[in-house]
Amino acid sequence: QVQLVESGGGLVQPGGSLRLSCAASGSIFSINAMGWYRQAPGKQRELVATITSTGSTNYADSVKGRFTISRDNAKNTVYLHMNSLKPEDTAVYYCNPFRDGVGLYPSGYWGQGTQVIVSS
C-alpha cells in the first residue's frame, strides 16, 4: 500500500513563492519517477512536473523556468519549488508516483492534495 501526503500550500500574492512537499510511504519511491499534478476549478488535472528515478526533470510549458521539482530518496519525499507565482497557478496540487522509473505510466495512487491560491 502506498500513502501520499502533500503539504505546503497556502495563499500567496502574485510573484511570490511556495514549496510543496509530498511524503510517500510504502516500498514505492526511489525506483519510481514522481510527478506533480494540479487541478484548477472546472478544469482537468494536468501534469506540471516530473522527476525520474535518476533525477532528470521535465516541466509543462506553463511552469517552465518558474517551478523546480526535486526529490530526497532518503526521506521518501518529493518537492515542488514554485517561484514567480501567477493567479493561473491557483489549483489543488497532487503528487503521484509513476509505475516506472522514467514517468511513462502513472499509478492510481493519489493523496489529498494541497491547495495553492495565488491572489492579491
Side-chain angles (χ1 to χ4, degrees):
Q1 188 70 18
V2 174
Q3 290 186 328
L4 304 162
V5 179
E6 299 97 340
S7 62
L11 174 63
V12 62
Q13 292 186 341
S17 299
L18 283 174
R19 188 186 77 162
L20 306 184
S21 299
C22 170
S25 63
S27 60
I28 187 171
F29 194 76
S30 62
I31 61 173
N32 299 86
M34 296 291 294
W36 278 100
Y37 291 74
R38 67 184 180 187
Q39 187 166 20
K43 295 187 177 181
Q44 289 188 332
R45 192 171 295 185
E46 63 169 339
L47 178 64
V48 296
T50 303
I51 186 166
T52 70
S53 59
T54 57
S56 297
T57 59
N58 195 35
Y59 300 93
D61 288 343
S62 58
V63 307
K64 199 170 293 184
R66 301 187 298 120
F67 289 13
T68 302
I69 187 171
S70 62
R71 64 192 299 163
D72 185 337
N73 290 341
K75 296 181 178 179
N76 279 10
T77 301
V78 62
Y79 304 97
L80 186 67
H81 304 256
M82 306 187 295
N83 297 318
S84 303
L85 283 161
K86 304 176 181 179
E88 51 264 42
D89 295 318
T90 294
V92 179
Y93 284 72
Y94 303 88
C95 67
N96 179 270
F98 288 86
R99 291 183 283 121
D100 63 291
V102 297
L104 295 177
Y105 306 106
S107 72
Y109 298 110
W110 297 98
Q112 83 290 347
T114 186
Q115 176 76 58
V116 172
I117 299 174
V118 184
S119 175
S120 55

